[in-house]
Amino acid sequence: MEKIISIAGNTVRESIRSKILFSLLGFAVVLVLVATFFGAVSIGDQVVVIKNFGLFASSFLCVLYIVISGSAMLQKEINRKTIYNILAKAVSRREFILGKFLGMFITAMILLILMGAGLLLFVFLFTGQIETALLVGLYFMSLELLVVCSFCIFFSSVVITPILIALFTFGIFLAGRGAELLLYYVEQEYIESGLATVVKGLYYILPQLQRLNVNDLVAYGVSISDTQIFWSTMYSFGYSIALLALSVILFEKRQFA
Amino acid sequence: MEKELNSVEQAPAVKISNLHYDYPSHWLGRPTPALKNLNLEIPRGESFGFLGHNGAGKTTTIKCLLGLVTPRHGSCEIFGESSLSPQSRVAIGYLPEQPYFYDHLTVYELVEMYAVLAGVARHRRASAVNAALESLKIKERSGSRLRSLSKGLMQRVGMAQAIVAQPDLLILDEPFSGLDPIGRRDFKELLLALKEKGTTLFICSHILGDVENLCERASIMVAGELKKTLTVNQLAEGQERHYELVISNGKSDSSYLEAVKREQLAGGSFRLVYDSEQKARAALAGSLDAGETVESFQRLQVSLEDLFIQTVGESQGKR
């Protein structure tokens, strides 16, 4: 376990010492300020707009971090041959993959916590109270990031080019957010029966990220049941564990010729 | 179980049996053979030189030993453990060729990280890291970011991370590259000290003089095949002997006739090489009789470099 933590720690340190994390944080501040402006000129409640836009910005920027930085993470190790020296120690490929995953997830969480704290403070300035419902939204976001990070590691373990890894990861994020549309098209019989089975199969394989997106509910103050929280947690962890197991199996077979 | 443990305890440091490895092909192309039926055994405590020209298969052999690639056929064992098991690497320290490390880390952070990965216990980690940095004379640079270091210093950091866990087997890929003369001397002293302590050394190097000084045995690889393995004693005694005569003020051409090699040196002197002691002594006597000045007369030992060039040349001639 200490080896996994050490690899994860190095990954976090690399992200923190690079400029991308701070650039994204700066971008988040700009987005929230833009949301304030939109809130002021929109017809609805200004705070709802800020909450909605703030949650969206946090989620989007964390996914962007994973897509930009995470997708190059493993490939950088291979191209610079730093992985040789790590695997030359008594470190299994499983430990390496889990370390990289953990590092990527922790960095995304640091980003999420900082942006979440900023959003809570910003909303507090408007309402004078701490919106604890936002914490539930941030929790769901962390579950979504868990799945996206797992996909990034999965693609990194099989695909060679960082650009493709980034495209696939972002593609999965978009597909996961829109997966329910597939079921809708099948149920409304917009798709032919032969293809419908394939599309339905795809619906079950794709991560149900839309179910982990509770931004609107949180922004409008709709409460989320404990059952939903429990099953969403189980789903995200289950999906993530399955993907990581598959990543380890594939990475074990990889040749560093 | 006890029998199994004993066999592991008595196992050689490195055992490579019938190793074949092919570089994977792209699309429908044929795989390129990189290693062909390689057999090698290195006893514990030996210092071994692994030589070959670029692309001979040295680094691929190292990758097989480190489990970075899976051989098509054959096996590698480190102290009796299959190299495909991470457990086999507990006893290994590895210095890659032209090491590149995480340049966002400081020297201390990097060596400490590798100490963790090598399994150095938490309570003795700090002392192990400091000892490694001290032995490489880079303790005062422990707070420097790696991106600010020169190539030579990077090589020292690479060696520090390789020895931090006091490994029983040290695999070094071109350890002297990028080092200045002082660095090379320091590395040699360190390696000799490690050898004294019983560490097995596996050294890949192009600088054959260094291998000759450090290693008890050396193998020459050509195009993925092991062509020759010899000990230092064999190198000194078993080879064809040549004699060198250097004369100045040369007047007579008679002594030149029997020489297998003749060349004029920068100062106007002549260097003559003879393939037998009898011919050389006759030439020496002839030169003295003719009143030529004999600058030197000595028996030449075939160097590892000569042998390396000869072996590679022979193999290329056959192909």
Side-chain angles (χ1 to χ4, degrees):
Chain A
M1 191 63 192
E2 203 180 12
K3 291 173 187 170
I4 296 175
I5 292 168
S6 177
I7 294 168
N10 182 42
T11 309
V12 174
R13 197 146 40 183
E14 185 173 13
S15 300
I16 289 173
R17 289 180 185 176
S18 74
K19 292 183 175 67
I20 184 165
L21 213 62
F22 298 100
S23 309
L24 288 172
L25 277 173
F27 196 50
V29 172
V30 172
L31 281 181
V32 172
L33 292 175
V34 170
T36 317
F37 170 74
F38 279 125
V41 297
S42 63
I43 300 165
D45 186 351
Q46 187 184 13
V47 177
V48 171
V49 175
I50 292 170
K51 283 198 279 188
N52 211 338
F53 206 78
L55 286 169
F56 161 75
S58 306
S59 165
F60 179 74
L61 290 176
C62 286
V63 171
L64 201 65
Y65 158 74
I66 296 167
V67 168
I68 294 171
S69 192
S71 57
M73 204 172 268
L74 210 61
Q75 294 311 310
K76 214 157 70 181
E77 295 265 9
I78 295 166
N79 294 341
R80 292 179 176 178
K81 297 181 181 174
T82 43
I83 190 169
Y84 292 7
N85 226 37
I86 290 197
L87 296 180
K89 306 282 181 211
V91 177
S92 67
R93 295 189 182 195
R94 175 179 53 85
E95 286 170 317
F96 181 77
I97 280 284
L98 293 179
K100 287 313 259 183
F101 164 76
L102 197 63
M104 190 194 297
F105 182 63
I106 289 171
T107 314
M109 287 303 294
I110 291 171
L111 198 58
L112 183 67
I113 289 167
L114 289 174
M115 287 194 284
L119 183 65
L120 275 170
L121 184 70
F122 205 68
V123 172
F124 177 77
L125 293 176
F126 276 85
T127 61
Q129 56 187 0
I130 294 168
E131 295 267 346
T132 48
L134 281 174
L135 294 175
V136 179
L138 293 170
Y139 175 70
F140 270 80
M141 249 181 241
S142 69
L143 295 179
E144 188 179 47
L145 292 177
L146 190 73
V147 177
V148 178
C149 279
S150 310
F151 263 106
C152 189
I153 286 289
F154 171 72
F155 290 129
S156 299
S157 62
V158 280
V159 181
I160 300 165
T161 333
I163 294 170
L164 281 181
I165 298 166
L167 283 175
F168 289 167
T169 308
F170 196 62
I172 278 289
F173 170 69
L174 293 178
R177 280 285 181 101
E180 285 190 340
L181 277 175
L182 295 176
L183 196 62
Y184 172 79
Y185 286 131
V186 171
E187 282 170 355
Q188 297 299 314
E189 296 180 351
Y190 289 138
I191 297 169
E192 286 175 28
S193 58
L195 196 62
T197 318
V198 178
V199 173
K200 210 168 177 180
L202 197 64
Y203 165 78
Y204 287 114
I205 292 170
L206 283 173
Q208 306 293 312
L209 297 182
Q210 187 55 44
R211 294 182 183 215
L212 301 174
N213 178 17
V214 294
N215 292 357
D216 287 344
L217 301 177
V218 168
Y220 285 100
V222 179
S223 68
I224 293 158
S225 68
D226 291 344
T227 317
Q228 190 182 347
I229 294 173
F230 175 76
W231 285 115
S232 298
T233 307
M234 289 292 113
Y235 176 79
S236 309
F237 273 84
Y239 206 103
S240 187
I241 288 168
L243 263 182
L244 288 175
L246 202 56
S247 309
V248 169
I249 292 168
L250 294 168
F251 196 67
E252 293 273 6
K253 295 186 190 306
R254 195 151 175 175
Q255 301 290 302
F256 298 102
Chain B
M1 182 69 183
E2 197 179 320
K3 196 179 170 188
E4 212 171 88
L5 274 175
N6 282 337
S7 73
V8 169
E9 277 167 19
Q10 289 159 7
V14 174
K15 188 177 179 188
I16 299 175
S17 315
N18 307 317
L19 192 70
H20 289 261
Y21 181 77
D22 296 338
Y23 284 123
S25 64
H26 292 288
W27 302 106
L28 298 172
R30 286 172 63 189
T32 317
L35 297 175
K36 299 168 206 165
N37 196 30
L38 182 62
N39 289 285
L40 187 66
E41 198 170 305
I42 304 171
R44 289 164 186 248
E46 186 179 78
S47 44
F48 180 81
F50 199 51
L51 314 172
H53 57 86
N54 293 332
K58 304 184 304 288
T59 303
T60 307
T61 307
I62 290 180
K63 283 181 179 177
C64 287
L65 289 173
L66 298 174
L68 293 169
V69 293
T70 314
R72 173 166 62 85
H73 184 72
S75 64
C76 297
E77 286 177 15
I78 307 288
F79 296 109
E81 285 264 3
S82 165
S83 65
L84 296 175
S85 149
Q87 198 56 30
S88 70
R89 297 190 282 280
V90 168
I92 296 181
Y94 168 58
L95 172 67
E97 185 183 3
Q98 296 174 336
Y100 182 89
F101 298 112
Y102 305 99
D103 58 10
H104 62 277
L105 296 179
T106 64
V107 171
Y108 189 92
E109 286 170 344
L110 182 100
V111 179
E112 188 188 34
M113 185 184 90
Y114 283 115
V116 175
L117 299 179
V120 178
R122 188 189 290 267
H123 66 275
R124 49 173 294 266
R125 205 171 290 154
S127 61
V129 173
N130 285 324
L133 295 178
E134 265 166 29
S135 63
L136 268 305
K137 301 178 182 169
I138 45 171
K139 182 111 196 298
E140 72 281 4
R141 299 301 298 267
S142 58
S144 306
R145 287 271 174 94
L146 291 172
R147 63 171 65 111
S148 68
L149 299 187
S150 66
K151 199 177 171 195
L153 279 173
M154 200 64 127
Q155 195 75 0
R156 285 173 186 261
V157 174
M159 185 63 105
Q161 64 79 28
I163 64 166
V164 70
Q166 296 176 337
D168 295 325
L169 168 65
L170 207 47
I171 298 177
L172 310 169
D173 198 353
E174 298 296 342
F176 304 104
S177 86
L179 291 172
D180 57 21
I182 294 167
R184 279 174 63 184
R185 185 201 62 197
D186 290 348
F187 262 44
K188 265 191 221 169
E189 281 174 6
L190 175 70
L191 291 174
L192 286 170
L194 289 168
K195 194 174 148 185
E196 283 292 306
K197 285 181 189 167
T199 307
T200 310
L201 303 178
F202 183 99
I203 305 174
C204 274
S205 180
H206 283 119
I207 303 172
L208 303 181
D210 292 333
V211 173
E212 207 168 354
N213 293 338
L214 282 167
C215 298
E216 291 145 8
R217 204 157 60 102
S219 280
I220 300 173
M221 288 277 286
V222 180
E225 288 177 82
L226 201 67
K227 288 291 177 189
K228 203 167 262 180
T229 300
L230 64 161
T231 62
V232 170
N233 291 339
Q234 281 172 324
L235 187 67
E237 291 165 10
Q239 302 302 315
E240 196 180 0
R241 283 170 190 167
H242 285 69
Y243 294 81
E244 182 196 69
L245 173 66
V246 179
I247 52 170
S248 56
N249 309 321
K251 290 171 190 165
S252 160
D253 283 350
S254 60
S255 55
Y256 296 13
L257 296 173
E258 300 285 331
V260 291
K261 198 173 178 184
R262 287 163 253 182
E263 59 183 340
Q264 191 160 12
L265 303 178
S269 307
F270 287 95
R271 180 175 177 266
L272 307 164
V273 178
Y274 296 89
D275 57 3
S276 81
E277 189 176 353
Q278 197 186 359
K279 287 178 193 171
R281 288 205 179 277
L284 175 67
S287 290
L288 290 172
D289 289 346
E292 294 167 343
T293 309
V294 174
E295 288 183 8
S296 68
F297 180 73
Q298 61 173 330
R299 195 182 86 183
L300 292 177
Q301 187 181 310
V302 176
S303 71
L304 191 54
E305 191 163 338
D306 293 333
L307 199 70
F308 176 75
I309 292 167
Q310 184 191 328
T311 308
V312 173
E314 279 169 9
S315 302
Q316 283 172 343
K318 279 181 198 166
R319 276 190 281 159

